[in-house]
């Protein structure tokens, strides 16, 4: 069953992200709390520290610290990304023995994409422990929280998730993996709970652009996207304006929003086309 996102606000008096560009180390919550969140105790605490250190933080430290091994979470993020894809692929391979590779790939993508992982980071408050010097991150998280309020489980490509949030989850996966002597079973045991709700075959949704293409192909309708993703994208079905969408910072989201709008209007469009009519006012 799909569950709604519940963002962790253990202390509502604290800002959404506590360790901003001007914060001093004593103000950051202790990393031991992350072990409690994960339900995992690190044998080597340095992996945990590295997993929660952004490259922007290391760049502003003293030269000795900057030269230390493990300058940021980037290497652990790389490892975590690989391990996450492996454990999700393994779980789905045995869970759905009759599912074809293309469907397995789409199902895996839904469980490891940036928005999915960013929601997990927020849901469990992991972002509060990130050591960084990235002033804009707090604003990005605030905007993300506002955008996903309309989509409790997943926006399906309609909002822009801060990649740093997803990076935190992947770097922690990498840290647990190397700390546990590369045990994929341990990683799955720790992170399955954090990644819930897991998208299942019956709850998997297709992104709006893909869904629109499939529906138009099925009905033998001509589909065309026009315009600039910064100024706005218009969707035409058989030369009939069917939807509009924009998102200044990311083309894919603008296209998905336009496609979602077109899907909402497609029924009206089909009726008009069947009646041989045109209506430029079909969308608001």
């Amino acid at each position: 069953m799909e569950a709604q996102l519940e963002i962790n606000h253990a202390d509502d008096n604290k800002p959404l992200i506590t360790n901003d560009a001007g914060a001093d180390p004593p103000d950051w919550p202790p990393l031991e709390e992350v072990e409690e969140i994960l339900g995992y105790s690190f044998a080597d605490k340095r992996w945990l520290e590295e997993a929660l250190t952004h490259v922007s933080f290391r760049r502003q430290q003293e030269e000795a610290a900057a030269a230390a091994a493990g300058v940021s979470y980037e290497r652990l993020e790389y490892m975590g990304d690989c391990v996450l894809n492996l454990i999700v692929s393994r779980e789905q391979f045995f869970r759905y023995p009759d599912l074809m590779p293309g469907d397995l790939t789409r199902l895996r993508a839904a469980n490891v994409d940036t928005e999915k992982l960013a929601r997990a980071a927020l849901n469990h408050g992991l972002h509060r422990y990130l050591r960084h010097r990235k002033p804009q991150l707090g604003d990005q998280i605030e905007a993300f929280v506002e955008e996903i309020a309309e989509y409790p489980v997943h926006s399906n490509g309609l909002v822009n998730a801060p990649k740093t949030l997803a990076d935190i989850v992947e770097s922690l996966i990498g840290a647990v993996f190397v700390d546990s002597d590369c045990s994929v079973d341990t990683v799955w045991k720790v992170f399955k709970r954090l990644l819930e709700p897991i998208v299942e075959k019956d709850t998997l949704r297709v992104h709006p652009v893909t869904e629109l293409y499939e529906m138009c192909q099925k009905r033998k309708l001509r589909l065309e996207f026009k315009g600039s993703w910064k100024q706005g994208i218009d969707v035409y079905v058989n030369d009939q304006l069917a939807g509009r969408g924009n998102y200044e910072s990311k083309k894919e989201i603008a296209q998905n929003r336009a496609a979602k709008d077109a899907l909402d209007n497609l029924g009206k469009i089909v009726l008009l086309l069947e009646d041989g009519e045109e209506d430029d006012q079909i969308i608001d």
Side-chain angles (χ1 to χ4, degrees), residues 209-223 237-238 266:
V209 171
T210 302
E211 183 180 357
L212 182 60
Y213 269 111
E214 290 176 350
M215 293 186 68
C216 288
Q217 288 175 354
K218 183 178 180 180
R219 292 175 168 82
K220 294 181 170 53
L221 300 173
R222 186 173 61 259
L223 176 64
V237 176
N238 279 21
L266 193 58

Side-chain angles (χ1 to χ4, degrees), residues 109-124:
N111 282 294
V112 302
D113 70 11
T114 299
E115 182 181 336
K116 173 72 172 177
L117 300 183
R119 285 172 178 263
L122 278 179
N123 191 26
H124 297 281

Side-chain angles (χ1 to χ4, degrees), residues 49 61 70 76 79 131 154 163 167 184 198 263 276:
E49 181 181 356
Q61 303 309 297
L76 287 176
M79 179 65 77
R131 273 64 172 158
H154 202 292
K163 184 178 180 297
D167 291 347
V184 292
I198 302 295
L263 285 168

Side-chain angles (χ1 to χ4, degrees), residues 191-211:
F191 285 92
K192 181 181 179 181
R193 174 181 59 83
L194 270 67
L195 295 174
E196 290 179 348
I198 302 295
V199 179
E200 306 288 355
K201 180 180 69 173
D202 296 334
T203 58
L204 177 65
R205 296 172 57 200
V206 180
H207 274 209
V209 171
T210 302
E211 183 180 357

Side-chain angles (χ1 to χ4, degrees), residues 99-108 204:
L99 212 57
M100 297 303 291
D103 295 324
L104 286 170
T105 298
R106 284 188 287 272
L107 190 58
R108 179 184 63 196
L204 177 65

